[in-house]
């Protein structure tokens, strides 16, 4: 009984040693790559023009990537709607896309007439001054929570810089 315990222990110890060695070598291989590094994203100027009805609404913002790692916006969620889509505008018609690029050391601009976040079906119709919480999901960066401010229908972020 005593001898068997010793043998099992010895086997376990040698297994642990083998694992430690292989774990160590794979660690050093990984750390030479960009693995584990995450893009740093900041979001500014998020707004939603006051929706006309409770069927749909668009949201616009600028997502800045201050890192050398390119990322992608892959999804959006919000308590205001169960169906948020990522849209691009081509030939003045918008269509759903799976993702939008957030280039390294660059930005993804969601703006009127271009790429945007689309709420399909609103649980309630927000008014000017309300804030709508959305969570942006990215391929590499962790989720980013953004407060989207509801603005007048004619509001445009670009013009607001002037005042
Ligand atoms: Cu749209």
């Amino acid at each position: 009984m005593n001898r068997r315990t010793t043998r099992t222990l010895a086997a376990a110890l040698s297994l642990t040693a083998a694992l430690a060695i292989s774990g160590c070598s794979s660690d050093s291989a990984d750390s030479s790559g960009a693995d584990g590094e995450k893009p740093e994203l900041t979001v500014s100027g998020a707004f939603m023009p006051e929706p006309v009805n409770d069927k749909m609404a668009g949201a616009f913002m600028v997502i800045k990537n201050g890192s050398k790692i390119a990322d992608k916006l892959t999804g959006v969620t919000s308590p205001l709607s169960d169906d948020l889509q990522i849209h691009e505008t081509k030939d003045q018609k918008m269509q759903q896309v799976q993702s939008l690029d957030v280039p390294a050391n660059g930005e993804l601009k969601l703006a009127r007439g271009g790429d945007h976040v689309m709420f399909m079906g609103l649980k309630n119709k927000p008014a000017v001054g309300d804030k709508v919480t959305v969570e942006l999901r990215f391929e590499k960066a962790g989720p980013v929570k953004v407060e989207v401010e509801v603005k007048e229908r004619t509001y445009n972020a670009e013009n607001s810089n002037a005042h």
Side-chain angles (χ1 to χ4, degrees), residues 56-58 85-89 94-95 116-120:
M56 60 170 79
Q85 302 181 353
I86 303 169
H87 282 184
E88 64 175 14
T89 309
M94 58 185 190
Q95 58 187 52
H116 57 276
V117 170
M118 199 94 208
F119 296 67
M120 309 298 287

Side-chain angles (χ1 to χ4, degrees), residues 10 18 30 48-49 59 67 80 95-96 104-105 107 134 137 140:
D30 280 354
M48 166 193 285
S67 69
L80 182 63
Q95 58 187 52
Q96 189 177 6
N105 291 309
E107 62 185 29
V134 300
R137 308 211 167 240
K140 293 176 190 145

Side-chain angles (χ1 to χ4, degrees), residues 37-160:
E37 257 185 277
K38 289 194 169 195
E40 294 152 34
L41 306 178
T42 51
V43 177
S44 61
F47 76 98
M48 166 193 285
E50 187 187 19
V52 181
N53 52 43
D54 61 4
K55 290 197 171 58
M56 60 170 79
F60 311 103
M61 65 196 75
V62 178
I63 303 167
K64 265 209 165 85
N65 184 352
S67 69
K68 56 183 194 302
I69 307 158
D71 208 342
K72 279 174 197 273
L73 175 67
T74 55
V76 189
T77 56
S78 170
L80 182 63
S81 170
D82 289 330
D83 185 11
L84 269 76
Q85 302 181 353
I86 303 169
H87 282 184
E88 64 175 14
T89 309
K90 274 210 168 140
D91 302 324
Q92 299 188 347
K93 287 191 89 180
M94 58 185 190
Q95 58 187 52
Q96 189 177 6
V97 291
Q98 288 311 303
S99 66
L100 289 171
D101 290 335
V102 189
N105 291 309
E107 62 185 29
L108 168 63
K109 203 176 239 179
L110 304 179
R112 289 176 182 274
D115 301 332
H116 57 276
V117 170
M118 199 94 208
F119 296 67
M120 309 298 287
L122 309 179
K123 289 176 185 171
N124 57 68
K125 197 172 92 59
V128 174
D130 285 355
K131 290 205 167 135
V132 178
T133 306
V134 300
E135 192 168 284
L136 307 174
R137 308 211 167 240
F138 297 94
E139 189 179 70
K140 293 176 190 145
V144 178
K145 265 211 171 106
V146 180
E147 296 281 301
V148 177
E149 213 177 319
V150 180
K151 299 282 195 180
E152 311 80 58
R153 263 160 224 160
T154 53
Y155 178 86
N156 206 332
E158 234 100 319
N159 301 338
S160 75

